[in-house]
Amino acid sequence: FLQTGLENLLINLPMKPSTFLDPPVEPKFEMDGVVSNVDALKLTFLQANNLKPLRIMIWGPPVAGKTSMAEVISKQYYLKRIHAKYLVDEVLPEQSDEFKSAVEERKYVPDNVPKAAASKPAAGKKGKGGDEAPVTATPEPVQPRLADEDMLALCKIALAKAECQNQGYILDGFPKTYQMMKELFTEVVEPPPPTPEDLEKARLAEEAKAAAAAEAEAAAAAA
């Protein structure tokens, strides 16, 4: 195998150079090194070649085949599969101790957890008097769940990673509700803070308004 691989590498194949961007696009950033400008270079390359990440969401009722379909699609298109277990087992441990402590404090046990099955006789076992001996079902311990706000925060962290931003992602059964979906994909744009010029204009407008009101009062009193 090694000899065959070496021979393949030695084959004289006709090759021609190609440009990084075709047609060439002048980067709109200061070239003080590729490493310090890798994000801008990546964005320029994606825009010039019209490359966009593939974003898929699979949503549906339980046991509908969401995960099976998501696994096939993620392997076919090399997409990161985002699901609740991945967020808890892989994304959460990467965060700071303060973040993990806050998440731990907000854990809760859901109210709609099904109760343990009622006591029923065990088939094939006889008790005293020939009656079947009852067997009491032992309820399994319920694991606390992460709050919805923490799951959304972890999902945003996962979607902000380079592999999801460049290649894309597939959401496997998460978010679970329409409200969580809105909070995940709706960006709240905060208004920019006022500049000193804006504050000065607002002050002058208030002074002019107060002066006009005073003049009107004086004119009314004189009349």
Side-chain angles (χ1 to χ4, degrees), residues 176-199:
K176 295 185 177 297
T177 65
Y178 177 69
Q179 183 61 33
M180 292 178 67
M181 190 188 311
K182 288 178 60 178
E183 294 180 10
L184 179 61
F185 292 107
T186 302
E187 181 179 0
V188 179
V189 180
E190 298 290 341
T195 62
E197 292 78 9
D198 296 333
L199 296 176

Side-chain angles (χ1 to χ4, degrees), residues 87-88 91-92 95 99 146 150-158:
L87 298 177
V88 175
V91 180
L92 180 58
Q95 309 312 310
F99 182 88
L146 270 65
D150 295 325
M151 291 296 291
L152 286 173
L154 292 174
C155 190
K156 290 181 179 180
I157 294 173

